[in-house]
Amino acid sequence: MFMVGYSLPTIASEANPSQADELEILQTNITQNDFKIIERLVTIAERNSSEVLEAKSAMGWRAFQDVVSIELSPSLTTTNYNSPDDPEERESSFYFSISLDPMKLISAFQKKPIFKARLHEAKQQKRLAVIRYYLAYLQARQAVKIAAYRMQNFTNSQRIASLNSQTNPPHSLKSLANADYVAAATEMLNSNAQEQAALAELAACVGLSTSAMMTVINGR
């Protein structure tokens, strides 16, 4: 028992020290890099959002589409004199008119603040959704690190048991009969699945593929 308790941290660090150090680093707050990533994602999300684009369109020429009406009417007139000396004459004309409704024009300007408020609301809602999904992905990614650290303990324990097999026949720690191993493996699977689901939800919110999303998150 004394040998196992003493050898566990030594063998774990010698086996893969970089992996052990990485697993021990857990995020405790939202970093400045996270805020930069969020701002990039918000910019992309607004560009791909149908709600934001619809609100922008309502503030443009669509607000005046009922105010101005344009009428185009080409016409062709044919005159036949019924005489061999006077051939048939054809005359074409083009009628163009623009009409303006002053009451609708006043109404369009009165609705301008409403359209502006809708655009602001659409942007804020999209920003809130991006932040919520990004934080959910951040938590899911950290849960994978924690689960991986717990699974690593079974790998290290398995190696220690093999080293001491001459004096104490090893019992398989990675077994369905081992409740701790089953719980750790289940946690690892659930955390990996949750990370993929969180990434997919964030990508759908922003309007990117998961691979493009990882490119943005990694800063490439």
Side-chain angles (χ1 to χ4, degrees):
M1 293 297 295
F2 176 77
M3 291 180 62
V4 173
Y6 179 79
S7 302
L8 177 58
T10 304
I11 293 178
S13 61
E14 289 179 356
N16 196 344
S18 61
Q19 182 179 9
D21 292 340
E22 181 181 355
L23 292 175
E24 290 175 0
I25 300 175
L26 296 179
Q27 188 170 345
T28 57
N29 59 358
I30 309 303
T31 65
Q32 289 299 321
N33 185 56
D34 290 324
F35 286 118
K36 291 179 181 179
I37 293 174
I38 289 174
E39 289 303 320
R40 287 200 296 267
L41 294 178
V42 168
T43 301
I44 299 172
E46 289 180 356
R47 191 164 58 240
N48 296 333
S49 171
S50 59
E51 292 84 1
V52 174
L53 293 177
E54 180 72 19
K56 283 183 177 180
S57 177
M59 287 188 61
W61 286 106
R62 278 191 54 189
F64 302 95
Q65 63 181 0
D66 295 331
V67 175
V68 179
S69 62
I70 300 176
E71 182 180 354
L72 303 175
S73 57
S75 62
L76 177 64
T77 303
T78 302
T79 304
N80 192 348
Y81 295 99
N82 294 324
S83 172
D85 298 330
D86 297 323
E88 181 182 81
E89 294 183 359
R90 293 184 178 183
E91 181 181 357
S92 61
S93 61
F94 189 81
Y95 178 76
F96 175 81
S97 67
I98 299 178
S99 60
L100 179 66
D101 191 328
M103 297 303 296
K104 291 183 178 180
L105 180 62
I106 295 174
S107 177
F109 279 109
Q110 289 177 342
K111 292 180 180 180
K112 201 74 173 180
I114 299 177
F115 295 146
K116 187 176 181 179
R118 286 178 181 174
L119 176 60
H120 178 73
E121 182 180 358
K123 288 184 176 182
Q124 288 298 103
Q125 290 295 330
K126 180 56 65 173
R127 170 180 291 273
L128 180 61
V130 170
I131 293 175
R132 184 171 63 250
Y133 284 121
Y134 178 79
L135 294 181
Y137 169 72
L138 209 63
Q139 292 172 328
R141 188 173 62 183
Q142 179 145 304
V144 171
K145 287 186 177 182
I146 297 173
Y149 177 77
R150 292 174 179 172
M151 282 297 297
Q152 187 186 36
N153 290 337
F154 286 96
T155 303
N156 296 333
S157 299
Q158 185 80 27
R159 190 179 298 111
I160 293 169
S162 299
L163 291 176
N164 295 277
S165 60
Q166 294 179 353
T167 58
N168 186 14
H171 173 70
S172 179
L173 297 176
K174 291 184 178 180
S175 170
L176 291 177
N178 188 333
D180 292 335
Y181 167 71
V182 172
T186 302
E187 180 185 3
M188 188 74 208
L189 176 62
N190 291 340
S191 60
N192 277 320
Q194 184 61 35
E195 181 187 21
Q196 293 301 315
L199 179 62
E201 289 177 344
L202 176 61
C205 176
V206 176
L208 295 175
S209 64
T210 54
S211 59
M213 175 60 58
M214 290 305 303
T215 300
V216 176
I217 291 176
N218 294 330
R220 296 195 301 269

